[in-house]
Amino acid sequence: MHLLRSRSTRSRARAALGATAAAALALTLAACSQEDSGGDGDTPLIGVILPDSASSDRWETADRKYLQEAFEAAGVDYDIQNAQGSREDFQTIADQMLTSGVDVLVTVNLDSGTGKTVIEKAKSQGVATIDYDRLTEDGGADYYVSFDNEQVGVFQGEGLAACLEGVETPLVAELNGSPTDNNATLFKNGYDSVLDPLYADGTFEKGPDEWVPDWDNAEGGTLFEQMLTSTGDEIDGVLAANDDLAHAVITVLQRKNLNGTIPVTGQDATIQGLQNILTGDQCMTVYKPVKQEADAAAELAIALANGEKPSTEGSVVDPISSEEVPAVLLESIPVTVENIQAVVDDGYADPAELCADDYADLCAQHGIG
């Protein structure tokens, strides 16, 4: 792992950039590779730990790039690393960053226990902390930057209900995210707020409901295959918590020639997810403008590194400690085949990649390009 050189002093001289305008930041998305930024010893140094690249490709193709761009535009030093799903590596990276003299540590936890350990160590050394995308329960981070994740779940539940319109008493399976990810719990709270009343009044029938450890897509596919077997292949709709789990479900359905006949939800508006919507194998996804999130986190981090105490318009209550955490919560957008172009227009999806090869005719059919 390549880290920036240690700094003998921490800069407190620059004016704060502020975070109050974070929700209005412009939207774009592209891919990038890991790089460290160099600078002199008086320049603020910000460390970022991303969780993995297996559960979702957004961490490497989106978040890294936009965080890097924001830090470089502000002229601060930064170190962005990825724990690749290893809790041990997550802690090792954090220790190295703290030793290197970071002023602020921005983390996407793999679980709240590991995240809390890192946050407590950072705070004991006077280093400010930001929970990025996922809240570390009982962690005590100084700030939290994410999307309104219950609303994301509401969009998923409403999307599945719309896709099942006209189906008589459909049996619905739920394939949730990781039980150790607070976001997965929030997503489920959101979609269950839509689906539970439909189960209760008999409009829908509740089927298998399983959590997928660590958002493991292979395990998600296995769990869904077991769901199908246990119901005699009678599942009518699938609430899959993100696009990668949705694709695992679709792969199983393809083997049984059931793809396109059973609505499947998703989230993240990945290229693969959008292509699955174009083919009719997936009924919807949720677009979360990652650039807004990255820019908001960068603004907070830079302000903190400069000795400021930025204010936010929102807050969340930690479900374990009951402490209020200052927060920036951004809005997401439900996406169906009717508005994929909006994702392209924002720069999140490259039309050359989205509409390549077999998808070219489908893109033309829906006016995407």
Side-chain angles (χ1 to χ4, degrees):
M1 301 172 187
H2 176 61
L3 288 170
L4 293 170
R5 60 184 174 82
S6 298
R7 298 168 61 223
S8 58
T9 60
R10 290 178 179 166
S11 172
R12 304 297 184 198
R14 291 189 179 163
L17 296 180
T20 55
L25 294 169
L27 314 178
T28 48
L29 179 74
C32 74
S33 59
Q34 174 173 322
E35 292 183 16
D36 293 336
S37 170
D40 60 47
D42 294 325
T43 304
L45 173 60
I46 298 167
V48 180
I49 308 177
L50 302 175
D52 60 50
S53 55
S55 67
S56 176
D57 62 5
R58 62 162 281 195
W59 305 114
E60 288 298 327
T61 64
D63 299 84
R64 180 188 292 277
K65 172 182 173 59
Y66 287 113
L67 288 165
Q68 175 181 306
E69 288 180 350
F71 294 144
E72 290 184 352
V76 299
D77 290 348
Y78 62 90
D79 183 18
I80 303 174
Q81 296 197 48
N82 193 314
Q84 296 298 354
S86 168
R87 289 159 176 78
E88 180 179 342
D89 287 351
F90 187 95
Q91 291 182 304
T92 298
I93 291 168
D95 288 343
Q96 291 174 334
M97 287 182 173
L98 292 171
T99 299
S100 75
V102 295
D103 297 276
V104 182
L105 190 59
V106 181
T107 60
V108 187
N109 72 65
L110 289 167
D111 65 78
S112 287
T114 306
K116 179 180 179 179
T117 298
V118 166
I119 289 171
E120 288 179 341
K121 185 173 292 188
K123 295 179 77 171
S124 74
Q125 298 182 29
V127 175
T129 56
I130 297 174
D131 274 338
Y132 182 66
D133 199 73
R134 299 172 181 169
L135 180 70
T136 301
E137 296 177 318
D138 198 28
D142 295 302
Y143 292 89
Y144 171 53
V145 178
S146 189
F147 293 88
D148 182 341
N149 291 307
E150 285 202 10
Q151 183 61 57
V152 171
V154 168
F155 286 148
Q156 291 175 304
E158 291 175 342
L160 184 62
C163 293
L164 285 170
E165 189 173 350
V167 180
E168 185 175 353
T169 320
L171 181 68
V172 174
E174 297 183 28
L175 194 63
N176 313 300
S178 175
T180 60
D181 180 354
N182 182 61
N183 279 3
T185 299
L186 295 174
F187 301 147
K188 183 168 175 59
N189 290 345
Y191 52 73
D192 280 353
S193 73
V194 175
L195 298 178
D196 282 350
L198 297 174
Y199 298 144
D201 69 13
T203 302
F204 288 0
E205 180 181 355
K206 185 173 178 61
D209 186 349
E210 297 285 350
W211 295 82
V212 181
D214 297 324
W215 293 93
D216 186 293
N217 300 317
E219 187 160 357
T222 299
L223 285 169
F224 179 68
E225 194 152 22
Q226 293 169 352
M227 291 178 177
L228 269 180
T229 300
S230 70
T231 60
D233 292 356
E234 292 300 320
I235 291 173
D236 298 298
V238 183
L239 195 304
N242 73 0
D243 286 348
D244 290 328
L245 289 178
H247 190 70
V249 167
I250 291 165
T251 299
V252 174
L253 294 175
Q254 286 171 335
R255 291 201 298 266
K256 294 177 173 285
N257 293 317
L258 292 172
N259 59 300
T261 67
I262 298 175
V264 182
T265 69
Q267 174 200 165
D268 288 334
T270 64
I271 290 294
Q272 187 173 69
L274 296 174
Q275 289 174 336
N276 283 336
I277 291 175
L278 284 171
T279 61
D281 291 336
Q282 184 172 325
C283 75
M284 62 84 67
T285 187
V286 180
Y287 170 39
K288 298 187 294 185
V290 176
K291 188 178 188 301
Q292 286 190 27
E293 185 181 26
D295 285 350
E299 288 195 28
L300 282 174
I302 293 162
L304 289 166
N306 283 315
E308 302 292 330
K309 187 175 181 180
S311 62
T312 64
E313 294 182 356
S315 64
V316 296
V317 175
D318 187 306
I320 303 299
S321 69
S322 297
E323 294 293 323
E324 192 168 312
V325 183
V328 176
L329 298 178
L330 302 162
E331 295 299 316
S332 56
I333 302 168
V335 177
T336 67
V337 73
E338 301 301 325
N339 65 331
I340 289 177
Q341 183 63 42
V343 184
V344 173
D345 289 344
D346 266 342
Y348 194 93
D350 179 357
E353 183 181 3
L354 174 63
C355 301
D357 303 325
D358 294 341
Y359 300 97
D361 288 344
L362 290 169
C363 282
Q365 179 182 334
H366 294 284
I368 299 167

